[in-house]
Amino acid sequence: MEKWRAADRLLKFSSRFASAVNWNNSCKSKQGKYFYSVATTVHRNPLFSSISPDDISYFKTILGERGVVQDALALDAANTDWMGKYRGSSKLLLQPKNTEEVSQILKYCNSRCLAVVPQGGNTGLVGGSVPVFDEVIINVGLMRNILSFDKVIVSGVLVCEAGCILENLISFLDDEGFIMPLDLGAKGSCQIGGNVSTNAGGLRLLRYGSLHGSVLGLEAVLANGTVLDMLGTLRKDNTGYDLKHLFIGSEGSLGIVTKVSILTPPKLSSVNIAFLACEDYTSCQKLLLEAKKKLGGILSAFEFLDSDAMSLVLKHLDGVRNPLPPSIHNFYILIETTGSNETFDKENLEAFLLHSVESGLVANGVLAQDINQASSFWHIREGLPEALMKAGAVYKYDLSLPLEKMYDLVEEMRVQIGPAAKVVAYGHLGDGNLHLNISAPAYDDNILAKIEPFVYEWTSKNRGSISAEHGLGLMKAAKIHYSKSPETVQVMASIKKLLDPNGILNPYKVLPSSLFSQN
Ligand code: FAD
Ligand code: MLT
Ligand code: ZN
């Protein structure tokens, strides 16, 4: 099913000016409300070199003039993250066309101690995809070939270069009768290499699981230029340590992903979408349990938003209307089913909805009657990141929490913040993933002091994770201890030191800089 997504239209616009061919747009779509003062909390590693004219000449011999970007507008876009919250001051963007070029660039940077930031579609939400200081930006966006697709006996294994845009892979597979096992609002700009490097979750995780399950193989280049060929296409391979998993979710801190092999499910013909209202959070939880029991194998998404999230979308996104007029309800749930028997699936969902209304779990609801209505339901949920951007500054928290505790945090946060900012909650309820957003007119340290460390302490106390799907990036590198034990963090730091002894790959991100200060 082709969905219309406004957040994605915005992203496509911003991706155009981040592309190699058109640098003419300004970065105004990034809201121009810079910047969160994070660089004050980390210091540039004095062991890193600065770019010299000789370096530029060397890169031109490898990549040619076109692959060495120094244009101010292009650099402005590449230095600034999607939210307009994090901003680096890199003077150089490199655009390799193949693995060999990536390898040569990294080998050289390592020998010169030049720090680098791997960048994909630059849609990351934790400040991981942009430089903190003057790191060299390496974007594999020109590596966008589909290398093979095996659909014999429903194998569905896709092998492609890391710079392929997720949406292009989705379209390619659609023609072949398959789908990508992941889908997210940023699909028009994000690259599969970025998705793998963040272990992106998104809207289909409930059904198809995490990328740790569907990625079958990878090719990655280490800091010293060594190419690791782990590009297997086998379902089963127990020959020693499965190193590809180190790169899935390592946010560019261990290597640059250059190729990906991924298992894709067949496309199923029958998709149904319902938009429902619940009056309390307990009903939302019970509804999820019921949906898992009654819809079982055909349940493909279970998303939620609260009334503040709904009000925000209605206020800031053009053409959006609440499909359940006239009153505002406390919670909204979007349920999607995907199966192969149209009559049975629809009847199954209708019976489930009827029962949920009769039992009082659902206060009101509507089943999409056509593709336009289905798209408009998705648009409400997927438009939330864009609506938050339009509303002003946003503090984003992406948490895994026990389902029964999840909304307690939202309510406590409202008390904690008071009238200074709006607390807006939505997320992938089916995966126990809350997106807690604090929306304020501008970034303000007084507001931040009310949110942190409260939000991290609360999450840790309830044995949640401070990053369900967005990663740690720069935002949460120093907060990792809220979710990982000191021993685990030490092993992570040892792995980082083994694979990247000079620490050139995405410095200041993922792990606390203090662990590497003796470098
Ligand atoms: P970037 O943002 O460019 O980079 C992200 C991280 O990966 C950085 O640390 C970067 O250094 C590293 N990286 C990028 N490419 C490579 C590479 N080839 N090799 C090594 N490291 C690399 N995320 C979710 O998980 N679920 C969602 O539902 C979701 N929805 C979103 C909706 C919107 C509107 C937006 C703006 C973002 C959303 N995100 C979501 C966050 C983001 O889109 C994902 O994290 C995505 O996977 C990032 O891909 P990217 O290509 O843009 O990577
Ligand atoms: C989403 O689920 O919409 C994304 O993860 C982005 C966000 O949290 O705003
Ligand atoms: Zn999400």
Side-chain angles (χ1 to χ4, degrees):
M1 170 176 293
E2 193 44 50
K3 296 168 193 161
W4 179 81
R5 293 167 181 168
D8 218 36
R9 287 195 310 158
L10 182 86
L11 285 160
K12 275 179 199 155
F13 171 70
S14 53
S15 76
R16 266 209 309 276
F17 68 81
S19 79
V21 283
N22 179 1
W23 299 116
N24 293 329
N25 297 295
S26 78
C27 69
K28 290 236 174 61
S29 74
K30 292 188 175 181
Q31 314 295 312
K33 48 179 188 249
Y34 316 136
F35 292 98
Y36 194 51
S37 55
V38 273
T40 53
T41 61
V42 290
H43 302 286
R44 187 182 184 282
N45 183 341
L47 297 181
F48 291 146
S49 310
S50 297
I51 287 287
S52 71
D54 284 352
D55 298 328
I56 303 288
S57 306
Y58 179 77
F59 291 130
K60 283 184 179 167
T61 62
I62 302 174
L63 306 175
E65 292 283 337
R66 190 169 175 259
V68 179
V69 180
Q70 294 176 281
D71 170 272
L73 277 178
L75 283 172
D76 197 26
N79 268 308
T80 310
D81 80 317
W82 186 80
M83 296 177 290
K85 182 170 180 181
Y86 299 93
R87 183 177 174 78
S89 50
S90 178
K91 303 280 181 295
L92 186 62
L93 163 66
L94 300 178
Q95 297 183 312
K97 290 188 297 306
N98 53 51
T99 304
E100 179 52 29
E101 289 182 357
V102 176
S103 167
Q104 283 178 275
I105 294 169
L106 283 180
K107 189 174 177 189
Y108 180 82
C109 288
N110 195 43
S111 71
R112 281 267 300 122
C113 229
L114 284 168
V116 307
V117 184
Q119 188 174 85
N122 197 8
T123 66
L125 298 171
V126 289
S129 55
V130 292
V132 181
F133 301 102
D134 56 349
E135 299 89 274
V136 176
I137 302 165
I138 303 178
N139 193 316
V140 297
L142 296 181
M143 297 171 60
R144 52 189 174 213
N145 292 310
I146 290 173
L147 301 173
S148 65
F149 180 63
D150 176 4
K151 56 179 178 179
V152 180
I153 326 175
V154 211
S155 126
V157 178
L158 173 77
V159 183
C160 64
E161 290 184 312
C164 288
I165 304 268
L166 178 60
E167 185 170 56
N168 294 343
L169 294 177
I170 292 172
S171 307
F172 169 84
L173 287 171
D174 192 56
D175 294 342
E176 301 285 341
F178 284 76
I179 61 165
M180 282 297 275
L182 82 158
D183 187 13
L184 45 146
K187 69 176 180 168
S189 293
C190 63
Q191 299 173 3
I192 190 68
N195 300 146
V196 167
S197 302
T198 52
N199 187 23
L203 307 160
R204 287 183 183 153
L205 189 134
L206 176 71
R207 176 71 168 268
Y208 299 110
S210 104
L211 289 175
H212 280 291
S214 43
V215 170
L216 299 178
L218 287 182
E219 179 187 80
V221 184
L222 299 182
N224 66 5
T226 302
V227 178
L228 288 191
D229 178 356
M230 307 169 284
L231 199 61
T233 54
L234 305 170
R235 292 297 301 275
K236 298 178 89 173
D237 175 14
N238 280 352
T239 49
Y241 311 135
D242 198 343
L243 291 185
K244 69 170 181 285
H245 288 294
L246 277 182
F247 295 86
I248 301 174
S250 65
E251 301 179 60
S253 64
L254 299 179
I256 295 192
V257 174
T258 43
K259 290 183 187 131
V260 176
S261 141
I262 187 163
L263 188 63
T264 68
K267 184 167 101 184
L268 301 177
S269 56
S270 136
V271 181
N272 289 292
I273 294 163
F275 198 84
L276 314 173
C278 295
E279 288 313 354
D280 55 64
Y281 181 67
T282 308
S283 299
C284 299
Q285 283 180 74
K286 286 188 182 159
L287 192 68
L288 172 61
L289 201 70
E290 285 296 300
K292 282 189 173 170
K293 273 197 225 153
K294 302 243 165 66
L295 301 172
I298 61 168
L299 182 64
S300 52
F302 195 103
E303 298 286 315
F304 97 112
L305 52 144
D306 69 5
S307 58
D308 282 312
M310 176 61 102
S311 304
L312 190 96
V313 169
L314 296 177
K315 183 167 173 196
H316 293 285
L317 293 192
D318 292 340
V320 171
R321 60 168 199 88
N322 184 345
L324 302 173
S327 58
I328 280 273
H329 297 273
N330 292 325
F331 296 92
Y332 297 90
I333 304 280
L334 188 154
I335 292 182
E336 184 190 76
T337 64
T338 309
S340 45
N341 185 328
E342 247 157 74
T343 315
F344 172 81
D345 292 352
K346 196 158 191 176
E347 281 174 7
N348 199 356
L349 182 59
E350 277 168 353
F352 167 75
L353 296 177
L354 190 64
H355 180 258
S356 306
V357 172
E358 282 169 358
S359 64
L361 288 184
V362 166
N364 206 342
V366 53
L367 193 60
Q369 296 304 313
D370 57 36
I371 192 165
N372 293 331
Q373 225 180 356
S375 301
S376 69
F377 294 177
W378 267 116
H379 181 40
I380 294 171
R381 167 60 186 88
E382 289 188 289
L384 275 158
E386 185 194 345
L388 280 161
M389 293 297 297
K390 290 188 168 164
V394 58
Y395 297 92
K396 286 183 105 54
Y397 298 89
D398 159 42
L399 312 163
S400 268
L401 284 167
L403 211 60
E404 66 281 8
K405 298 269 176 59
M406 195 184 267
Y407 208 72
D408 293 349
L409 173 59
V410 181
E411 283 165 348
E412 286 185 39
M413 185 60 84
R414 284 196 176 117
V415 174
Q416 176 87 358
I417 295 277
K422 269 243 161 305
V423 179
V424 172
Y426 56 94
H428 315 286
L429 199 70
D431 310 322
N433 182 181
L434 169 70
H435 291 313
L436 175 68
N437 292 266
I438 290 98
S439 169
Y443 292 114
D444 175 344
D445 285 346
N446 293 320
I447 294 178
L448 184 60
K450 288 186 178 165
I451 307 171
E452 297 182 15
F454 171 78
V455 66
Y456 297 129
E457 285 170 355
W458 202 100
T459 303
S460 182
K461 198 172 69 198
N462 287 286
R463 295 196 65 81
S465 168
I466 63 162
S467 173
E469 59 176 11
H470 297 163
L472 294 167
L474 177 64
M475 178 189 177
K476 290 175 276 186
K479 318 286 182 200
I480 190 170
H481 60 276
Y482 285 107
S483 289
K484 291 280 193 289
S485 70
E487 296 78 11
T488 311
V489 175
Q490 272 308 331
V491 173
M492 287 185 185
S494 306
I495 293 171
K496 167 77 176 167
K497 282 177 187 162
L498 176 74
L499 297 186
D500 178 19
N502 294 329
I504 62 160
L505 280 167
N506 223 358
Y508 326 109
K509 320 280 176 63
V510 186
L511 290 166
S513 293
S514 54
L515 291 174
F516 306 99
S517 51
Q518 74 277 26
N519 270 358

